[in-house]
Amino acid sequence: MSSCVTGTEAALRAAACRDGDAAAHLKLIAVFVIFLTSVLGVWGPVLLARYFHGKPLYEKAILVIKCFAAGVILSTSLVHVLPEAFEALADCQVSSRHPWRDFPFAGLVTMIGAITALLVDLTASEHMGHGGGGGGGGGMEYMPVGKAVGGIEMKEGKFGADLEIQENSEEEIVKMKQRLVSQVLEIGIIFHSVVIGVTVGMSQNKCTIRPLIAALSFHQIFEGLGLGGCIAQAGFKAGTVVYMCLMFAVTTPLGIVLGMVIFALTGYDDQNPNALIMEGLLGSLSSGILIYMALVDLIALDFFHNKMLTSPGESSSRLKKLCFVALVLGSASMSLLALWA
């Protein structure tokens, strides 16, 4: 069994940094700064999308932003959230206890998060197939193989009308899929943001909080760009867009306030084993959701199923390279922040 031993020098340094009044002041600053940067990040792509909507490069620009966003989300899950979850559950106060020392729970809960996201995807797809797609019975109707011209059946001279209905139904299903992706993605991000906010709110270490304010501000900008790009492409109504952007912007600040309230009422230490277990489990769950969303619903969907990237031609090839560069830049920019937070 491992024991938690702290050196004298480290203990003195930790004691010097533990200042409740200074920490409370820094946390109030963090609430306002992180809220403003969150608003800036998530609203940027949404406002740009509305301004450039209908212009020639609109669809391509949104696709590039979405690929950058996918890189940000993937890096957030693998470089930020998952290592912190493993670290919380590997702390000697937790890992020395049963059952946490007997099994890698962080990996298990991450897998559960990914499978849960898949279940949500399957359930929603089933719903869209039977009742949400539009058309006579609510779902998409595919024409049986028969006498066809170019692979599409001619029926009673209604070739154009049938094709148009089918294309409209496909577009509607794609839109509904994008909306589902945005909503599930926001759920995963909110889990992560609550954990970050409460952790900062309960901390009394001014030396830790000070650099976190700057790091989390950039973190929220990049994460907001990721979510905002998905929201912009999903085509929500104005009220839903405002609600989703506002939820993202206030979650981390509210988490900080909640952490401060919890500490004030209970004196609950952020290094308490139960707090570490909760942080590790929530972080693992949100990491699994974000990994699934980034790889399956963002990267795979765009690079292998988007007409602009899969159609033959020099233009499509250039756009694919640009999207890949955007993906790498998004993941690299978010990974770089791990040096500070």
Side-chain angles (χ1 to χ4, degrees):
M1 180 184 298
S2 62
S3 58
C4 299
V5 179
T6 306
T8 306
E9 185 180 345
L12 291 174
R13 193 185 308 118
C17 287
R18 201 168 181 82
D19 185 337
D21 293 336
H25 179 69
L26 288 171
K27 282 183 274 191
L28 290 176
I29 294 174
V31 167
F32 291 104
V33 171
I34 291 174
F35 174 75
L36 291 176
T37 52
S38 299
V39 169
L40 178 65
V42 75
W43 273 106
V46 174
L47 295 177
L48 286 175
R50 291 191 175 276
Y51 178 75
F52 288 105
H53 187 71
K55 298 191 176 180
L57 294 178
Y58 170 75
E59 294 294 339
K60 293 180 180 178
I62 285 293
L63 184 59
V64 171
I65 291 174
K66 192 179 174 186
C67 290
F68 179 88
V72 169
I73 300 302
L74 185 62
S75 178
T76 297
S77 58
L78 291 174
V79 181
H80 291 259
V81 187
L82 189 57
E84 289 174 2
F86 270 99
E87 185 180 350
L89 294 180
D91 188 279
C92 59
Q93 298 182 78
V94 177
S95 60
S96 60
R97 299 164 59 180
H98 177 80
W100 309 102
R101 69 185 178 199
D102 303 325
F103 194 83
F105 281 96
L108 174 66
V109 177
T110 299
M111 182 179 68
I112 291 172
I115 293 175
T116 302
L118 171 63
L119 179 62
V120 172
D121 247 1
L122 290 173
T123 304
S125 298
E126 186 77 11
H127 169 71
M128 284 189 284
H130 290 292
M140 265 196 73
E141 296 181 1
Y142 293 93
M143 291 181 287
V145 178
K147 296 179 181 178
V149 177
I152 302 176
E153 187 180 7
M154 296 284 291
K155 292 175 66 178
E156 299 178 3
K158 296 181 180 179
F159 172 76
D162 288 344
L163 179 59
E164 185 177 352
I165 290 172
Q166 183 173 347
E167 288 178 346
N168 290 339
S169 299
E170 288 176 350
E171 289 175 5
E172 184 62 26
I173 285 182
V174 169
K175 279 291 183 186
M176 292 184 72
K177 175 70 173 177
Q178 290 170 345
R179 290 168 188 166
L180 174 69
V181 168
S182 301
Q183 290 165 340
V184 177
L185 184 60
E186 179 152 27
I187 291 171
I189 289 174
I190 283 176
F191 265 125
H192 169 47
S193 299
V194 167
V195 172
I196 288 178
V198 172
T199 303
V200 172
M202 290 195 300
S203 176
Q204 301 301 301
N205 191 324
K206 65 179 182 180
C207 302
T208 303
I209 297 172
R210 190 179 291 113
L212 270 178
I213 295 175
L216 287 177
S217 297
F218 284 105
H219 179 280
Q220 291 300 103
I221 287 176
F222 286 130
E223 206 168 59
L225 285 172
L227 180 61
C230 294
I231 292 174
Q233 195 179 40
F236 288 109
K237 293 180 180 179
T240 306
V241 171
V242 171
Y243 172 76
M244 293 183 71
C245 291
L246 186 62
M247 282 296 293
F248 170 78
V250 303
T251 300
T252 303
L254 285 179
I256 294 174
V257 173
L258 178 61
M260 294 173 69
V261 170
I262 291 173
F263 181 82
L265 294 177
T266 65
Y268 203 54
D269 188 2
D270 56 332
Q271 293 301 309
N272 183 289
N274 293 330
L276 291 170
I277 290 170
M278 185 62 66
E279 178 184 341
L281 293 180
L282 284 176
S284 299
L285 186 66
S286 62
S287 177
I289 293 172
L290 293 175
I291 289 171
Y292 175 88
M293 300 304 295
L295 291 175
V296 178
D297 283 333
L298 295 178
I299 296 174
L301 193 65
D302 283 333
F303 280 92
F304 296 105
H305 300 286
N306 191 298
K307 290 180 181 178
M308 287 192 289
L309 295 181
T310 55
S311 58
E314 183 65 26
S315 176
S316 175
S317 178
R318 285 198 302 267
L319 182 60
K320 188 180 296 183
K321 292 174 183 176
L322 182 60
C323 287
F324 185 80
V325 170
L327 175 68
V328 172
L329 287 176
S331 58
S333 60
M334 200 66 183
S335 299
L336 189 62
L337 287 179
L339 292 171
W340 299 280

